[in-house]
Short mmCIF file of all heavy atoms in Angstrom, two decimals:
data_model
loop_
_atom_site.label_atom_id
_atom_site.label_comp_id
_atom_site.label_asym_id
_atom_site.label_seq_id
_atom_site.Cartn_x
_atom_site.Cartn_y
_atom_site.Cartn_z
N SER A 140 3.75 25.18 9.58
CA SER A 140 3.30 26.67 9.70
C SER A 140 2.62 26.94 10.93
O SER A 140 1.74 26.17 11.28
CB SER A 140 2.62 27.09 8.43
OG SER A 140 2.05 28.35 8.59
N ASP A 142 0.63 29.30 10.94
CA ASP A 142 -0.63 29.93 10.40
C ASP A 142 -1.68 28.91 10.08
O ASP A 142 -1.43 28.21 9.09
CB ASP A 142 -0.15 30.75 9.20
CG ASP A 142 -1.33 31.66 8.65
OD1 ASP A 142 -2.56 31.39 9.10
OD2 ASP A 142 -1.03 32.50 7.66
N GLY A 145 -4.28 31.10 6.79
CA GLY A 145 -3.81 31.68 5.50
C GLY A 145 -2.55 31.05 4.96
O GLY A 145 -1.97 31.59 4.03
N SER A 146 -1.99 29.97 5.57
CA SER A 146 -0.77 29.49 5.20
C SER A 146 -0.75 28.92 3.80
O SER A 146 -1.54 28.10 3.43
CB SER A 146 -0.36 28.30 6.14
OG SER A 146 0.73 27.44 5.63
N ARG A 147 0.32 29.28 3.07
CA ARG A 147 0.51 28.76 1.63
C ARG A 147 1.11 27.33 1.79
O ARG A 147 0.71 26.52 0.94
CB ARG A 147 1.40 29.70 0.80
CG ARG A 147 0.54 30.96 0.63
CD ARG A 147 1.17 31.73 -0.59
NE ARG A 147 0.24 32.93 -0.83
CZ ARG A 147 0.59 33.87 -1.80
NH1 ARG A 147 1.63 33.71 -2.65
NH2 ARG A 147 -0.26 34.92 -1.84
N SER A 148 1.99 27.19 2.60
CA SER A 148 2.65 25.72 2.64
C SER A 148 1.63 24.76 3.08
O SER A 148 1.54 23.72 2.47
CB SER A 148 3.77 25.61 3.62
OG SER A 148 3.48 26.02 4.95
N ARG A 149 0.62 25.05 4.02
CA ARG A 149 -0.47 24.13 4.35
C ARG A 149 -1.28 23.97 3.16
O ARG A 149 -1.87 22.83 2.99
CB ARG A 149 -1.25 24.78 5.51
CG ARG A 149 -0.49 24.73 6.84
CD ARG A 149 -1.34 25.17 8.05
NE ARG A 149 -0.55 25.11 9.34
CZ ARG A 149 -0.64 24.01 10.03
NH1 ARG A 149 -1.33 23.08 9.81
NH2 ARG A 149 0.09 24.05 11.26
N PRO A 225 7.68 26.47 6.09
CA PRO A 225 7.71 27.94 6.12
C PRO A 225 9.00 28.45 6.51
O PRO A 225 9.55 27.86 7.31
CB PRO A 225 6.61 28.40 6.94
CG PRO A 225 6.38 27.36 7.94
CD PRO A 225 6.73 26.01 7.25
N MET A 226 9.39 29.52 5.74
CA MET A 226 10.68 30.23 6.22
C MET A 226 10.45 31.12 7.47
O MET A 226 9.63 31.97 7.37
CB MET A 226 11.35 31.08 5.14
CG MET A 226 12.56 31.86 5.56
SD MET A 226 13.34 32.78 4.33
CE MET A 226 14.17 31.63 3.38
N TYR A 227 11.11 30.80 8.45
CA TYR A 227 11.15 31.59 9.74
C TYR A 227 12.47 32.06 10.02
O TYR A 227 13.47 31.17 10.33
CB TYR A 227 10.52 30.78 10.90
CG TYR A 227 8.95 30.58 10.89
CD1 TYR A 227 8.34 29.81 11.83
CD2 TYR A 227 8.21 31.21 9.88
CE1 TYR A 227 7.07 29.60 11.83
CE2 TYR A 227 6.77 31.09 9.88
CZ TYR A 227 6.20 30.23 10.90
OH TYR A 227 4.83 30.07 10.71
N ASN A 228 12.66 33.33 10.02
CA ASN A 228 13.99 33.91 10.42
C ASN A 228 15.13 33.24 9.47
O ASN A 228 16.17 32.74 9.99
CB ASN A 228 14.24 33.75 11.73
CG ASN A 228 13.30 34.82 12.59
OD1 ASN A 228 13.34 36.03 12.18
ND2 ASN A 228 12.50 34.24 13.49
N TYR A 229 14.89 33.24 8.18
CA TYR A 229 15.73 32.70 7.21
C TYR A 229 15.99 31.25 7.37
O TYR A 229 16.92 30.65 6.68
CB TYR A 229 17.05 33.47 7.06
CG TYR A 229 16.79 35.01 7.05
CD1 TYR A 229 16.80 35.86 8.19
CD2 TYR A 229 16.29 35.50 5.86
CE1 TYR A 229 16.46 37.14 8.08
CE2 TYR A 229 15.93 36.87 5.76
CZ TYR A 229 16.05 37.77 6.83
OH TYR A 229 15.70 39.01 6.79
N SER A 269 7.79 28.11 1.82
CA SER A 269 7.01 29.20 1.61
C SER A 269 7.67 30.35 2.33
O SER A 269 8.07 30.28 3.50
CB SER A 269 5.60 28.96 2.36
OG SER A 269 4.77 30.18 2.26
N ALA A 270 8.03 31.39 1.53
CA ALA A 270 8.90 32.48 2.22
C ALA A 270 8.21 33.81 1.85
O ALA A 270 7.62 34.13 0.84
CB ALA A 270 10.24 32.63 1.69
N GLY A 271 8.15 34.75 2.88
CA GLY A 271 7.62 36.05 2.65
C GLY A 271 8.44 36.94 1.59
O GLY A 271 7.84 37.69 0.89
N GLY A 272 9.75 36.75 1.64
CA GLY A 272 10.59 37.52 0.54
C GLY A 272 10.96 36.58 -0.55
O GLY A 272 10.35 35.56 -0.86
N TYR A 274 14.36 34.82 -2.50
CA TYR A 274 15.85 34.45 -2.28
C TYR A 274 16.37 33.78 -3.43
O TYR A 274 17.51 33.01 -3.46
CB TYR A 274 15.92 33.52 -1.01
CG TYR A 274 15.34 34.23 0.18
CD1 TYR A 274 14.01 34.06 0.51
CD2 TYR A 274 16.13 35.01 1.04
CE1 TYR A 274 13.34 34.77 1.44
CE2 TYR A 274 15.50 35.70 2.00
CZ TYR A 274 14.17 35.73 2.30
OH TYR A 274 13.56 36.27 3.38
N THR A 310 5.40 35.75 -0.32
CA THR A 310 4.01 35.68 0.21
C THR A 310 3.60 36.87 0.99
O THR A 310 2.45 37.02 1.22
CB THR A 310 3.87 34.60 1.14
OG1 THR A 310 4.75 34.70 2.23
CG2 THR A 310 4.28 33.09 0.37
N LEU A 311 4.59 37.71 1.29
CA LEU A 311 4.21 38.90 1.97
C LEU A 311 3.97 40.18 1.02
O LEU A 311 3.83 41.32 1.49
CB LEU A 311 5.37 39.31 2.99
CG LEU A 311 5.43 38.39 4.20
CD1 LEU A 311 6.76 38.77 5.03
CD2 LEU A 311 4.23 38.26 5.02
C1 FMN B 199 8.25 33.86 12.88
C2 FMN B 199 8.14 34.37 11.60
C3 FMN B 199 9.49 34.65 10.87
C4 FMN B 199 9.53 35.00 9.51
N1 FMN B 199 10.86 34.99 9.01
C5 FMN B 199 10.89 35.27 7.65
C6 FMN B 199 12.17 35.54 7.03
O1 FMN B 199 13.09 35.40 7.66
N2 FMN B 199 12.14 35.75 5.62
C7 FMN B 199 11.04 35.85 4.85
O2 FMN B 199 11.18 35.88 3.71
N3 FMN B 199 9.86 35.65 5.50
C8 FMN B 199 9.87 35.39 6.88
N4 FMN B 199 8.51 35.21 7.44
C9 FMN B 199 7.25 35.29 6.55
C10 FMN B 199 6.90 33.90 6.15
O3 FMN B 199 8.04 33.09 5.58
C11 FMN B 199 5.74 33.97 5.27
O4 FMN B 199 4.58 34.52 5.94
C12 FMN B 199 5.33 32.51 4.68
O5 FMN B 199 4.23 32.65 3.82
C13 FMN B 199 5.02 31.52 5.74
O6 FMN B 199 4.66 30.34 5.28
P1 FMN B 199 3.07 29.96 5.43
O7 FMN B 199 2.39 30.84 4.45
O8 FMN B 199 3.03 28.48 4.98
O9 FMN B 199 2.56 30.17 6.76
C14 FMN B 199 8.44 34.92 8.75
C15 FMN B 199 7.23 34.78 9.43
C16 FMN B 199 7.19 34.55 10.77
C17 FMN B 199 5.85 34.12 11.31
#
Side-chain angles (χ1 to χ4, degrees):
S140 171
D142 182 351
S146 160
R147 291 200 180 178
S148 63
R149 284 181 182 273
M226 176 183 282
Y227 286 172
N228 295 303
Y229 310 103
S269 177
Y274 303 90
T310 67
L311 293 178

